[in-house]
Amino acid sequence: MKYTNEELKEKIFELKERLSVTLVAHFYQRDEVFELADITGDSLELAKKTMNDDSEFVLFCGVAFMGQSVKVLSPKKRVVMPKLACCAMARMIDSLYYDESVKFLEENGIAKENILPITYINSNADVKAKVGEMGGMVCTSSNAKFIIETALKEGKKILFVPDRCLGQNIANQMGLQSMVIGQEGNPKEADIICYDGFCSVHQLFTLEDIAFYRKKFPGILIATHPECDPAICEASDFVGSTSQLIKYITELPEEQKVAVGTEFNMVNRLRPKNTYVLSSSKPECPTMNETTLEDVYLTLKAIEDGSPINEIEVDEKTQKWAKVALERMLAL
Ligand code: 13P
Ligand code: SF4
């Protein structure tokens, strides 16, 4: 039997009353799912807030690396996801590609002990574990600059995975030399060597889009996420994580127009007026959009029935080292 959204919401509320479950949602979730969340935030906030939560179950509406990070940080918690949706960028690297990247640096005359790896949180636990084992740490879009600044004090080469855009954007902000594996450049001359992963959603924003909005609405501001191409971030008035974008945009005077380069669901609910999506297409994250109200209901129902579905498991060794990498970030 098919339920309407209103019926599903009611059923979800009833189940939540009876069960020890905290519903967590990232800003890119569909509106009807996002509205129901007990905890929302950017990737860093979600990781921190769920650590302090004491329900038996975390029902995570987001992409797999996010649910996995909760499990890694709090292994006793039971983490379930309505959809095991994998971020397209996280899927671009696994532990083998990671090893190849280290090998590339070694072949270019950089000894392993002189490499400090940093992985963007948008990576799976196996990659985080490799990074942890090699003495490195995790960063998110909201703390990447600080983490890289701190890491550079060790005087080593930074291997930054998997997002080439975030790595290059931070390097540009700090006046550092960067290069992308597989593209032109000498690793010995670069401070930050980036893996060549990217987010396909954030690649949708172009310089033509910025020129269009600047011409159409003189005085408009351009705000973008650091997963956008470096040329886009350089042409923006503000660059920040999802939480930082929300703060910046919602604090603007009501009449100030702004065009925003990040996922559609979030931009669409930011402000009632004067906010535009910086694209002629609809920049929806396909995997974030996989989770529906019905999935949330079925996941709760399965918990009530005593047979939870889509439960996140991480093997002991991976969990141990991925936790080290995440905790090094949290300690800073
Ligand atoms: P935030 O950490 O800024 O929420 O970013 C997560 C993400 O996947 C952006 O595409
Ligand atoms: Fe991954 Fe991009 Fe979706 Fe963010 S928007 S979850 S980086 S695919």
Side-chain angles (χ1 to χ4, degrees), residues 5-13 32 35-36 293:
N5 272 3
E6 283 317 305
E7 287 168 334
L8 284 168
K9 270 186 210 168
E10 232 168 82
K11 287 182 171 301
I12 290 169
F13 281 130
E32 63 275 21
E35 273 166 20
L36 300 177
L293 267 188

Side-chain angles (χ1 to χ4, degrees), residues 220-235:
I220 194 169
L221 294 171
I222 307 293
T224 55
H225 193 278
E227 287 174 13
C228 294
D229 193 81
I232 303 301
C233 292
E234 219 137 280

Side-chain angles (χ1 to χ4, degrees), residues 93-164:
I93 188 164
D94 59 15
S95 48
L96 291 178
Y97 284 126
Y98 175 81
D99 287 343
E100 272 181 20
S101 307
V102 174
K103 202 163 146 227
F104 168 79
L105 264 66
E106 289 179 302
E107 283 167 0
N108 278 276
I110 303 165
K112 201 167 176 179
E113 57 273 20
N114 291 329
I115 303 170
L116 185 65
I118 297 180
T119 181
Y120 187 26
I121 197 163
N122 294 37
S123 54
N124 287 321
D126 58 337
V127 173
K128 290 191 180 81
K130 285 265 174 186
V131 166
E133 239 180 319
M134 241 179 96
M137 61 193 133
V138 174
C139 77
T140 73
S141 56
S142 60
N143 65 15
K145 183 164 177 270
F146 175 68
I147 296 284
I148 290 178
E149 248 164 23
T150 312
L152 280 168
K153 291 186 186 140
E154 291 197 27
K156 296 183 178 181
K157 292 275 181 204
I158 306 284
L159 169 62
F160 191 86
V161 304
D163 188 8
R164 64 170 154 78

Side-chain angles (χ1 to χ4, degrees), residues 28-30 85 263 265 283-292:
Y28 292 169
Q29 289 291 295
R30 293 162 181 262
E263 213 275 344
N265 289 335
E284 283 177 306
C285 173
T287 42
M288 283 281 187
N289 274 274
E290 277 183 37
T291 304
T292 64

Side-chain angles (χ1 to χ4, degrees), residues 2-279:
K2 268 264 176 238
Y3 297 112
T4 64
N5 272 3
E6 283 317 305
E7 287 168 334
L8 284 168
K9 270 186 210 168
E10 232 168 82
K11 287 182 171 301
I12 290 169
F13 281 130
E14 280 168 20
L15 284 164
K16 276 191 77 225
E17 287 278 293
R18 291 201 290 275
L19 301 168
S20 174
V21 177
T22 299
L23 211 149
V24 180
H26 185 264
F27 295 122
Y28 292 169
Q29 289 291 295
R30 293 162 181 262
D31 290 352
E32 63 275 21
V33 172
F34 184 77
E35 273 166 20
L36 300 177
D38 304 302
I39 294 179
T40 61
D42 66 14
S43 307
L44 180 62
E45 292 163 341
L46 293 178
K48 280 185 178 171
K49 289 181 190 172
T50 44
M51 269 175 82
N52 299 324
D53 173 75
D54 50 17
S55 304
E56 186 189 358
F57 283 91
V58 165
L59 192 155
F60 205 111
C61 303
V63 284
F65 75 80
M66 295 179 169
Q68 236 184 16
S69 297
V70 177
K71 185 72 187 173
V72 164
L73 284 166
S74 317
K76 289 208 173 77
K77 232 179 236 314
R78 299 192 68 182
V79 184
V80 287
M81 298 190 71
K83 276 278 159 67
L84 290 173
C86 188
C87 158
M89 182 202 290
R91 216 183 294 147
M92 288 180 185
I93 188 164
D94 59 15
S95 48
L96 291 178
Y97 284 126
Y98 175 81
D99 287 343
E100 272 181 20
S101 307
V102 174
K103 202 163 146 227
F104 168 79
L105 264 66
E106 289 179 302
E107 283 167 0
N108 278 276
I110 303 165
K112 201 167 176 179
E113 57 273 20
N114 291 329
I115 303 170
L116 185 65
I118 297 180
T119 181
Y120 187 26
I121 197 163
N122 294 37
S123 54
N124 287 321
D126 58 337
V127 173
K128 290 191 180 81
K130 285 265 174 186
V131 166
E133 239 180 319
M134 241 179 96
M137 61 193 133
V138 174
C139 77
T140 73
S141 56
S142 60
N143 65 15
K145 183 164 177 270
F146 175 68
I147 296 284
I148 290 178
E149 248 164 23
T150 312
L152 280 168
K153 291 186 186 140
E154 291 197 27
K156 296 183 178 181
K157 292 275 181 204
I158 306 284
L159 169 62
F160 191 86
V161 304
D163 188 8
R164 64 170 154 78
C165 293
L166 181 61
Q168 286 177 297
N169 281 324
I170 302 298
N172 292 347
Q173 265 182 44
M174 295 173 67
L176 299 169
Q177 287 295 323
S178 65
M179 69 158 285
V180 178
I181 297 175
Q183 294 180 14
E184 218 176 291
N186 179 353
K188 280 201 139 174
E189 283 164 15
D191 306 295
I192 304 181
I193 297 111
C194 306
Y195 186 77
D196 62 350
F198 57 88
C199 165
S200 44
V201 181
H202 287 86
Q203 298 311 295
L204 293 173
F205 308 107
T206 63
L207 285 174
E208 287 73 31
D209 294 326
I210 296 182
F212 170 83
Y213 274 108
R214 290 218 191 270
K215 187 162 175 231
K216 188 167 173 63
F217 300 122
I220 194 169
L221 294 171
I222 307 293
T224 55
H225 193 278
E227 287 174 13
C228 294
D229 193 81
I232 303 301
C233 292
E234 219 137 280
S236 301
D237 300 292
F238 181 82
V239 180
S241 76
T242 50
S243 278
Q244 291 164 346
L245 284 169
I246 291 171
K247 185 170 185 314
Y248 173 77
I249 293 158
T250 53
E251 286 176 0
L252 289 173
E254 212 181 313
E255 63 288 356
Q256 174 64 57
K257 292 189 192 307
V258 62
V260 190
T262 196
E263 213 275 344
F264 178 84
N265 289 335
M266 183 182 120
V267 181
N268 193 40
R269 69 170 90 91
L270 271 179
R271 258 161 120 219
K273 279 200 300 189
N274 290 331
T275 305
Y276 302 86
V277 177
L278 181 66
S279 178

